[in-house]
Amino acid sequence: MRARLKQIIAALEIRPALVGTLSTLLLLIIWSIWASKTETMHSSFVGPLELLRRLYLLATQGYGGTSLWVHIAASLFRTGAGFIAGAIVGICVGMAMGYSSIISSALAPLFSFIRPIPPIAYIPLVILWFGIGEFSKIVLIFLASFLYVALNTAAGVRAVPQDLIRVARTLGTSNFRLFYAVILPEALPYVMLGLKVALALSWAVVVAAELVAAQAGLGYLIMDAGTFFRIPDLGSELSAHRPDPCRHNEQELRRQPPASC
Amino acid sequence: MPDFTRKSATLETAAPSPDDIAVSLDRVGHWFDGPSGRTQALSDVNIQIKTGEFFTLLGPSGCGKTTLLNIVGGFIEAKAGDVAIFGKPVSGPGPDRGVIFQSYALFRWLSVLKNVEFALHHRKLPKAERAEVALQYLNLVGLQDFRHHYPYQLSGGMKQRVAIARALAADPKILLMDEPFAALDSQMREVLQEELIEIWQRTRKTVFFITHNVDEAIFLSTRICVMSANPGRTKALLSNDLPQPRADYRVRTTAAFQENKEGILALIRDELHPNRMRGALP
Ligand SMILES: Nc1ncnc2c1ncn2[C@@H]1O[C@H](COP(=O)(O)OP(=O)(O)OP(=O)(O)O)[C@@H](O)[C@H]1O
Ligand SMILES: [Mg+2]
């Protein structure tokens, strides 16, 4: 019996994909059973199959008269624009900081001051300065991603071995070439780490920004659905409860009393 | 078998003529100011390295060998004295002086071939020719079959061979080598010493070599400068008369070799334990 168990464990240890699939299936089954038990009381807690059906409806029929892809594209565009700008400026500033201790010392107080501020805290200020349009969200993503990329790049450049730069110099390398052909590739692991963290943060921040002020985007969709109790019934229509009269297209959707009411 | 019985390790007397002097160090001094005060790293160093010479700096740890190499390489500026390369004062590093460090300093994101090609960039060779020329330099160190490998796939000895090929590819007049074989095991070290001396004989570069290994200094050099520490200064300049060609391991066991070694060891012995006292144990 014991030997049999050991055999099974050994077999599972070398099959991570199988174990992952089994655990996910188990989770889905528990979820389904739980949801079917509570369905009568809490319609906001639905099972996986129902959720998939709703997701399909959302994808095919859109939300609030707008296609889901428009919302996704809006969020992706903001994140992309802000992140790319933040990455480019961050890499340049980080390279300068890593290379020159004077630039690094000059920027250190400012950076240590703004580093502990969560990017979401800038939302009111950014809205005040740049309005609730597209630009303010891009600025916000820029602020969120810039700092991580710059600080990581600076650390990466500082970690480039002195010998490597010296060798490159004796090989007749120009200053410009030294930067892009030696220092940047050597610091790349650090830079990539900064970009990874910055991208994850950007995505979190864009959703947060859209929660506050937006007419499209995934954050807006979540906020709108939450406000109007559409959590379990994203495909259904709630025009009767909406304070916003300029919503359109909703008559075309299926008329059906929301399950939550 | 060549005759290795000639007298060697004689004290230097004749001064070379100034035309063929590759490196000239005149009353060079250097110090570092730190929080705990000033460290006098070098003091009154006078060395003239002739063109085509294999010159070795031999000294204990901390005597300022690396500092001196950094000054010749143009990486740091001497705080006192004059430093000239072929008669011209040094102002920063340049492709006339190639360096090889103990740490190999290879570009780890480039293949072996691309590492060597990097050095060809400043020689304005057409792109098509570059790979071919780089391959010739890899051939010189016997690594042509590893051209598509990356540095992490190589052993320490192979990495240092790539570094040597890369330094030579830039076609420098002087090679500066800072304990290049110190990180290798003793057998690999001897093999690379033999390869280096062969390369030196073929290319006739001027070599400025640093080591704290007496055998290495004797096997390789035409001239040896023994340094003393605190502050770093030249203690003795010896010319090494071991006959050429030396790219043969048997040189290491000859009487002349041992005689040279004895002479140098006698010079540096008192360096190693200058203030040694034999007191009673508590
Ligand atoms: N950047 C630096 N700042 C302060 N002191 C330094 C610096 N570089 C070297 N020194 C000091 O200068 C002296 C000579 O150092 P150096 O590195 O030239 O010795 P070395 O002969 O190369 O020693 P080793 O054989 O261990 O490499 C040492 O006392 C060292 O502490
Ligand atoms: Mg040293």
Side-chain angles (χ1 to χ4, degrees):
Chain A
M1 187 63 208
R2 247 237 166 88
R4 186 98 190 96
L5 197 69
K6 261 190 180 162
Q7 241 176 12
I8 293 173
I9 288 173
L12 287 178
E13 260 169 1
I14 54 164
R15 290 180 181 81
L18 178 70
V19 176
T21 314
L22 286 177
S23 70
T24 311
L25 274 176
L26 190 68
L27 199 72
L28 287 174
I29 290 167
I30 294 172
W31 181 7
S32 300
I33 295 170
W34 196 347
S36 68
K37 287 251 167 20
T38 52
E39 200 157 34
T40 44
M41 321 185 301
H42 292 283
S43 56
S44 56
F45 186 66
V46 299
L49 282 174
E50 177 64 7
L51 197 76
L52 212 62
R53 194 180 68 82
R54 302 272 165 85
L55 191 66
Y56 172 75
L57 284 176
L58 188 65
T60 49
Q61 300 183 352
Y63 178 83
T66 321
S67 160
L68 176 66
W69 311 114
V70 173
H71 290 292
I72 291 177
S75 294
L76 274 180
F77 168 74
R78 288 164 188 153
T79 315
F83 172 73
I84 289 170
I88 292 171
V89 178
I91 288 174
C92 293
V93 172
M95 294 272 281
M97 280 174 72
Y99 195 69
S100 155
S101 59
I102 296 175
I103 294 175
S104 179
S105 316
L107 291 176
L110 175 71
F111 278 15
S112 1
F113 177 71
I114 59 175
R115 186 155 50 166
I117 304 173
I120 295 168
Y122 295 120
I123 291 177
L125 204 62
V126 168
I127 288 177
L128 263 177
W129 286 349
F130 304 106
I132 55 166
E134 208 62 25
F135 188 64
S136 64
K137 282 169 208 77
I138 294 175
V139 168
L140 197 70
I141 306 300
F142 173 84
L143 284 175
S145 52
F146 162 77
L147 200 67
Y148 279 92
V149 178
L151 290 176
N152 267 290
T153 306
V157 172
R158 246 175 257 128
V160 175
Q162 196 179 36
D163 285 357
L164 204 69
I165 293 172
R166 288 182 168 175
V167 162
R169 284 218 179 280
T170 62
L171 297 176
T173 312
S174 66
N175 278 337
F176 182 61
R177 191 166 147 77
L178 187 70
F179 260 99
Y180 81 84
V182 178
I183 294 176
L184 190 59
E186 178 67 23
L188 206 60
Y190 285 79
V191 178
M192 291 309 285
L193 186 68
L195 290 176
K196 215 166 103 180
V197 174
L199 188 62
L201 191 70
S202 298
W203 193 244
V205 169
V206 82
V207 171
E210 287 168 351
L211 289 176
V212 177
Q215 281 79 49
L218 291 175
Y220 158 78
L221 195 151
I222 292 167
M223 194 63 188
D224 201 60
T227 307
F228 299 107
F229 243 65
R230 287 185 170 198
I231 302 149
D233 209 14
L234 291 168
S236 81
E237 182 260 321
L238 270 169
S239 56
H241 302 269
R242 303 196 75 129
D244 186 354
C246 62
R247 288 281 154 218
H248 40 274
N249 278 358
E250 274 147 354
Q251 276 82 347
E252 289 150 39
L253 294 172
R254 284 176 302 132
R255 218 162 240 294
Q256 176 190 317
S260 53
C261 299
Chain B
M1 244 331 244
D3 175 28
F4 293 130
T5 54
R6 281 184 54 205
K7 176 92 184 79
S8 44
T10 47
L11 277 170
E12 173 92 343
T13 43
S17 73
D19 316 326
D20 55 10
I21 289 173
V23 180
S24 159
L25 300 164
D26 189 19
R27 283 167 289 122
V28 169
H30 197 82
W31 56 86
F32 295 98
D33 290 319
S36 56
R38 176 168 291 188
T39 314
Q40 186 76 34
L42 292 170
S43 167
D44 195 32
V45 174
N46 295 288
I47 292 172
Q48 316 250 292
I49 302 176
K50 282 169 273 180
T51 308
E53 200 172 12
F54 199 119
F55 188 91
T56 295
L57 214 52
L58 179 70
S61 183
C63 73
K65 303 183 296 291
T66 298
T67 307
L68 197 61
L69 181 127
N70 284 340
I71 288 170
V72 175
F75 305 128
I76 59 176
E77 205 181 326
K79 296 214 164 117
D82 301 312
V83 185
I85 303 295
F86 293 109
K88 282 204 206 90
V90 167
S91 61
D96 56 338
R97 283 151 289 152
V99 287
I100 290 153
F101 294 118
Q102 188 185 325
S103 62
Y104 320 122
L106 296 179
F107 306 124
R108 58 196 161 120
W109 59 95
L110 296 179
S111 69
V112 165
L113 190 70
K114 293 278 172 200
N115 261 280
V116 180
E117 273 187 49
F118 193 99
L120 298 171
H121 201 269
H122 84 102
R123 285 172 64 180
K124 308 268 180 293
L125 285 172
K127 249 205 164 92
E129 250 176 70
R130 258 184 234 161
E132 203 176 309
V133 176
L135 202 57
Q136 282 169 12
Y137 282 101
L138 278 181
N139 237 328
L140 193 67
V141 294
L143 282 182
Q144 61 280 11
D145 293 342
F146 292 87
R147 57 183 175 278
H148 298 307
H149 282 58
Y150 280 81
Y152 74 91
Q153 296 169 306
L154 304 179
S155 71
M158 289 154 93
K159 282 183 198 164
Q160 199 56 291
R161 286 191 183 100
V162 176
I164 291 171
R166 182 182 59 181
L168 290 170
D171 200 22
K173 295 198 180 79
I174 305 169
L175 274 184
L176 309 174
M177 309 181 83
D178 191 354
E179 306 199 30
F181 308 141
L184 307 175
D185 68 81
S186 60
Q187 261 127 55
M188 184 47 71
R189 181 190 298 206
E190 292 190 359
V191 169
L192 273 165
Q193 285 167 4
E194 284 154 31
E195 288 183 18
L196 176 64
I197 210 153
E198 236 183 87
I199 288 170
W200 171 70
Q201 276 160 354
R202 284 178 63 183
T203 60
R204 281 290 151 185
K205 304 274 180 205
T206 307
V207 180
F208 181 71
F209 192 94
I210 287 177
T211 183
H212 54 237
N213 184 320
V214 179
D215 286 55
E216 188 167 74
I218 296 171
F219 183 71
L220 293 171
S221 353
T222 54
R223 235 161 26 120
I224 301 168
C225 172
V226 180
M227 284 184 80
S228 62
N230 299 315
R233 53 173 83 237
T234 53
K235 185 169 186 170
L237 270 169
L238 313 162
S239 69
N240 183 3
D241 297 349
L242 276 191
Q244 305 282 356
R246 268 185 230 161
D248 185 334
Y249 63 93
R250 280 168 298 190
V251 177
R252 298 177 199 276
T253 51
T254 58
F257 194 97
Q258 297 307 325
E259 204 179 314
N260 272 0
K261 189 170 170 178
E262 228 178 274
I264 290 173
L265 282 177
L267 267 171
I268 59 175
R269 218 26 352 177
D270 52 327
E271 272 308 312
L272 297 175
H273 291 288
N275 308 313
R276 188 164 170 204
M277 296 209 271
R278 288 173 195 275
L281 288 169

